[in-house]
Amino acid sequence: MNKSVSERVETVLDTYVVSMPATATLVGLFWIVHLLKVGVSQFYGSEMALTLFYVRFVHLDYVWTWVTATVGHVNLLHLVVNTYFAFLIGGWAESTVRTRRYLGVFLIGGALTALLGTIVTAAANGYLIVEFTPIADVSTSSVNVIAAGSSMGWFAVLGMLLALDLNGRVYLWKFKPRRWVWFVALFVLSLAGTVSDAWLLGVTIGHPYHMVGLVLGGLYGLFVASD
């Protein structure tokens, strides 16, 4: 019994830590930042937590939040879901490009996505809410955007990986579409989600950030990383 448990633990460590050290480090950072955010919110209030860990349209001058928002998450479920995708995308990245390039794209691409994605979100909301009549009945006097999530960085990494070999194939069950098909599909879905989120004013899963991150990573993979 104990040997079986020990073997399982060893297998998990080999699969998710030893074989993917950079990704495991990032995931560890995500959980530490989340615990810090919870602690700050508990002892110093939600406004302090917003100031430290969330990128906000009204405070884009808080440059540190471009990074902390990329490694932070809104809640525990958000963190768990992105942890899964971290090993999914991160494992692919670690087996494809150098660790320095992978982490650079995640952190720098994620920070730029936090900045530009917030601007795009605010612009889309402002245009669709102010210029047209939204379906939801809310005040249109101002547009604010608050966001956090490592998907900002993961979509940048994903965009790079797809762009490095656009004619290559990504296997999904019995389907084997080329990478450029995946790229276009993800971009279209993110664009459609951006419009629907702004128009319906519903719960968003960060479509504008996914779209921006995908494009930034794709441009890097196409014009820089491929050199």
Side-chain angles (χ1 to χ4, degrees), residues 162-224:
L162 293 173
L164 283 173
D165 183 12
L166 289 173
N167 287 320
R169 295 184 182 277
V170 177
Y171 295 84
L172 181 64
W173 296 300
K174 296 182 180 180
F175 302 99
K176 298 185 293 183
R178 296 191 183 277
R179 294 187 186 185
W180 69 264
V181 175
W182 279 106
F183 190 95
V184 171
L186 288 171
F187 178 82
V188 170
L189 287 173
S190 297
L191 179 60
T194 298
V195 174
S196 66
D197 287 345
W199 184 253
L200 298 175
L201 297 180
V203 177
T204 177
I205 60 171
H207 293 297
Y209 296 93
H210 299 166
M211 179 177 65
V212 171
L214 187 71
V215 170
L216 289 176
L219 291 174
Y220 177 82
L222 196 61
F223 296 107
V224 180

Side-chain angles (χ1 to χ4, degrees), residues 11-205:
T11 300
V12 170
L13 290 176
D14 286 339
T15 302
Y16 297 105
V17 179
V18 177
S19 63
M20 292 183 280
T23 302
T25 301
L26 282 177
V27 169
L29 178 62
F30 298 163
W31 284 84
I32 291 171
V33 169
H34 186 71
L35 291 175
L36 286 173
K37 187 198 74 172
V38 171
V40 168
S41 180
Q42 181 70 29
F43 293 104
Y44 298 98
S46 58
E47 181 60 31
M48 179 61 72
L50 286 171
T51 298
L52 294 177
F53 300 105
Y54 290 83
V55 61
R56 293 187 284 177
F57 182 68
V58 294
H59 286 299
L60 286 178
D61 54 318
Y62 292 176
V63 179
W64 62 88
T65 62
W66 305 356
V67 177
T68 56
T70 304
V71 296
H73 296 84
V74 175
N75 52 45
L76 184 59
L77 177 61
H78 189 206
L79 174 59
V80 170
V81 170
N82 277 348
T83 294
Y84 170 77
F85 283 105
F87 286 110
L88 194 66
I89 300 173
W92 181 15
E94 289 200 59
S95 65
T96 304
V97 298
R98 295 193 305 272
T99 300
R100 182 183 301 178
R101 174 166 288 176
Y102 157 43
L103 292 178
V105 169
F106 178 86
L107 294 172
I108 299 175
L112 290 175
T113 297
L115 170 63
L116 299 177
T118 301
I119 295 173
V120 169
T121 303
N125 288 352
Y127 181 75
L128 291 175
I129 294 173
V130 176
E131 298 298 331
F132 298 94
T133 303
I135 292 176
D137 182 18
V138 298
S139 172
T140 60
S141 59
S142 64
V143 175
N144 190 21
V145 178
I146 301 172
S150 61
S151 59
M152 298 177 189
W154 292 128
F155 266 80
V157 172
L158 183 58
M160 174 192 67
L161 293 173
L162 293 173
L164 283 173
D165 183 12
L166 289 173
N167 287 320
R169 295 184 182 277
V170 177
Y171 295 84
L172 181 64
W173 296 300
K174 296 182 180 180
F175 302 99
K176 298 185 293 183
R178 296 191 183 277
R179 294 187 186 185
W180 69 264
V181 175
W182 279 106
F183 190 95
V184 171
L186 288 171
F187 178 82
V188 170
L189 287 173
S190 297
L191 179 60
T194 298
V195 174
S196 66
D197 287 345
W199 184 253
L200 298 175
L201 297 180
V203 177
T204 177
I205 60 171

